[in-house]
Amino acid sequence: MPRHVTAGLDGSAESAAAAEWAAGEARLRQVALRLLLVSDDPAPSRPAAEHGGAGGGRYPGAEFLTGTADALRGGHPGLEVRAERLTGRPAAVLAREAAGADVMVLGSRGLGSVRGFLLGSVATATIVRTRRPVVLVRPGHRPGQGTRGEYGDADDPEAAAAAAAAAGSVVVGVDVRETCGATLDFAFGEAALRGGRLRAVHCWSLPPFGRDALALDMARREMRPDIARALRNVLAPWRQRYPSVEVAEFTPVGGVSDRLLHSAAGAALLVVGRRMRTARAGVRLGPVAHAVIHHCAAPVAVVAHD
């Protein structure tokens, strides 16, 4: 199949938002958009795009699938939109179909309700089953919304600066101790597609000095230049590969999840890495990726790396 962006639909407003975001992504990449409706219903799979609205009641969600496809064709003239209904366990099918896509896009409700948790479980199960980038999208988000203060006041001025600078840009979480080439390559590529603004954030912690404010301040001053240098060195190869991308580097002190959430408020996209790992109970999502996909208002891309 030629290059394409895939969006998974389930009839919800969240999946409709995912489809709209995926359409924009497909246009940026100049590739086709593939819409998938996956259910456990054993009725025969069949393409829906060829039938328009006719016969839409043949299976649950048919009208939503064809209606979404028609709306996206109308809203994005020239975009090739394919709509298909597949059967099977949703997470397994979506992960399988993600293997051939540039990006898999899914809707997200976060942890606000029981339904949200169930949807989140499908999204999480899909993410951990594929090496392809998966983007989680919430309804109603617009780049630039929810800037400083959405996640509380940061006690580090650099974290606040990152949040203020993030509006409309791509934000990527970077761990200078890990090889995260796939994550950076995706983030720089997304920034290039969106006009070339990238905010790279590496979060770090101070040694425990109890309540000794002076010692903490001295440690911050002494350690920050080395941390900033390490981040700069990690980013250097991608700066050369993507010369059109304007990169701003931030090294806030504090918990990774909290600082990334604060830094990404108002961003067009937050990109985080996920190390491919296997736990005793099977594959699992790391704590940072788990936190941001459930609590970040901006779209979140999770990219697997070794």
Side-chain angles (χ1 to χ4, degrees):
M1 184 179 294
R3 287 184 56 198
H4 60 279
V5 171
T6 295
L9 305 184
D10 65 356
S12 67
E14 288 76 14
S15 69
E20 180 62 43
W21 193 94
E25 180 74 5
R27 292 195 65 177
L28 288 173
R29 292 172 176 262
Q30 299 183 347
V31 300
L33 172 63
R34 186 183 185 209
L35 303 178
L36 293 181
L37 178 71
V38 183
S39 72
D40 293 323
D41 188 335
S45 300
R46 58 179 295 171
E50 300 176 1
H51 302 280
R58 292 177 181 271
Y59 54 83
E63 293 183 359
F64 180 83
L65 179 61
T66 56
T68 300
D70 290 342
L72 292 176
R73 291 188 188 102
H76 300 271
L79 176 64
E80 179 183 352
V81 181
R82 309 166 191 162
E84 299 174 56
R85 187 255 186 171
L86 301 177
T87 58
R89 297 178 66 85
V93 173
L94 290 170
R96 182 190 71 208
E97 298 303 318
D102 284 18
V103 182
M104 169 63 76
V105 187
L106 302 174
S108 173
R109 294 188 184 98
L111 292 177
S113 68
V114 174
R115 293 180 65 208
F117 177 79
L118 292 175
L119 183 65
S121 67
V122 171
T124 300
T126 301
I127 291 169
V128 299
R129 283 173 167 81
T130 180
R131 295 189 68 94
R132 301 302 300 158
V134 179
V135 178
L136 283 298
V137 179
R138 292 193 188 185
H141 174 76
R142 295 290 183 274
Q145 289 181 336
T147 51
R148 295 179 61 171
E150 180 171 351
Y151 300 103
D153 294 329
D155 56 14
D156 189 319
E158 189 166 2
S169 65
V170 174
V171 176
V172 59
V174 183
D175 187 341
V176 300
R177 300 162 299 180
E178 290 191 349
T179 302
C180 49
T183 306
L184 289 175
D185 200 51
F186 182 84
F188 271 81
E190 288 293 311
L193 289 173
R194 287 166 168 73
R197 295 178 59 208
L198 179 71
R199 302 294 181 255
V201 183
H202 171 69
C203 310
W204 56 291
S205 300
L206 289 167
F209 287 108
R211 298 183 179 180
D212 191 333
L214 179 60
L216 285 171
D217 185 61
M218 289 181 60
R220 187 195 302 264
R221 292 173 181 272
E222 291 177 0
M223 296 174 65
R224 189 182 291 278
D226 291 336
I227 299 294
R229 188 179 305 109
L231 177 59
R232 187 164 54 250
N233 291 340
V234 167
L235 297 175
W238 279 269
R239 283 180 177 271
Q240 295 179 358
R241 190 176 303 173
Y242 294 90
S244 66
V245 175
E246 172 194 338
V247 183
E249 302 168 10
F250 299 92
T251 55
V253 176
V256 177
S257 300
D258 288 343
R259 288 299 180 258
L260 281 179
L261 287 170
H262 187 88
S263 298
L269 179 68
L270 170 62
V271 182
V272 295
R274 176 184 73 84
R275 176 180 286 182
M276 298 292 291
R277 68 184 82 192
T278 302
R280 291 182 179 180
V283 291
R284 64 184 180 88
L285 199 60
V288 173
H290 186 274
V292 298
I293 67 174
H294 287 307
H295 297 289
C296 187
V300 178
V302 183
V303 183
H305 62 83
D306 294 320

